[in-house]
Structure formats: C-alpha cells, structure tokens
Amino acid sequence: DVQLVESGGGSVQAGGSLRLSCAASGYTTRMALAWFRQAPGKEREGVATICILKTPYADSVKGRFTVSRDNSKNTMYLQMNSLNPEDSAMYYCAAMLQTGCSLRASDYNYWGQGTQVTVS
C-alpha cells in the first residue's frame, strides 16, 4: 500500500522559509505526487505538483514556492520562501494512482497525515 509521510513544518516569521518533505513508499514513479494545504474553515487547496511537461502552482504561491522530486529517494519536496500569514495551514502530500497532472484533491487516492505550517 502507498504510504506518505510529511515533515519539515513548523513556525516561522513572515518573510521566512521552510522546506517540506514527503517520503513515499509503496508507490511507483509513474504515480503523480502533489502538495495540498488546508487552513481552518477553508477547502483543501492544491499547491503544486510535478507533471511531465510542466509544474503547476497555485496562483497564490507562484514565484515563492518550488516543488521538486527525487525519485532515487522516493521523496518530494516543497521549498517555501517569502512566507506570509496566509500560507499558514496544514500541508499534505498526496499520490494519484496514475500518471496525471492535477491540483484537484478529488483526483488523488492517497494522503499523508500532514505537517503544520504557521507563519506569524
């Protein structure tokens, strides 16, 4: 079975940076991975994913966040710079059973437990 474990969250002041990691097991490199986030009272939002020919980001994070993937380590990363309080949320890693390119939560089959990011 696919297991996803996020790490790297924490508390940071506005303007600071964090690097999230998602360690994946039981999956194949053909599976799509993505980052989502959810703040209290808000819907889960797609943040970034890596596709074959492009790397879509949510408009709110473009130019500040960078997603990367190291298949040799079965790990996906999210480098977050210039953080602001609106970025505060639980950040989740998700995997899709097939190769795809989506930032819709409903397209993803597996989810990690999340890692909290708080920006003050």
Side-chain angles (χ1 to χ4, degrees):
D1 202 7
V2 176
Q3 293 188 328
L4 306 169
V5 179
E6 303 94 335
S7 62
S11 296
V12 64
Q13 291 187 338
S17 299
L18 284 172
R19 188 193 194 204
L20 305 184
S21 298
C22 170
S25 60
Y27 87 113
T28 72
T29 55
R30 290 178 296 176
M31 294 176 69
L33 297 176
W35 286 102
F36 289 82
R37 67 184 181 184
Q38 188 167 20
K42 294 187 177 181
E43 292 188 357
R44 192 163 295 191
E45 173 191 25
V47 175
T49 185
I50 300 177
C51 306
I52 295 175
L53 297 177
K54 58 183 178 180
T55 308
Y57 292 91
D59 288 342
S60 58
V61 307
K62 284 180 181 177
R64 301 187 298 121
F65 289 14
T66 302
V67 62
S68 61
R69 182 170 173 172
D70 186 340
N71 288 332
S72 68
K73 296 181 179 180
N74 292 342
T75 301
M76 179 177 63
Y77 304 96
L78 185 68
Q79 177 66 44
M80 306 187 295
N81 299 327
S82 302
L83 286 162
N84 59 62
E86 289 70 38
D87 295 316
S88 296
M90 185 72 78
Y91 283 71
Y92 297 93
C93 175
M96 187 191 305
L97 276 172
Q98 57 190 12
T99 300
C101 189
S102 171
L103 285 178
R104 291 192 302 267
S106 59
D107 288 338
Y108 286 80
N109 308 99
Y110 298 96
W111 295 85
Q113 293 299 308
T115 185
Q116 179 68 41
V117 171
T118 302
V119 185
S120 59

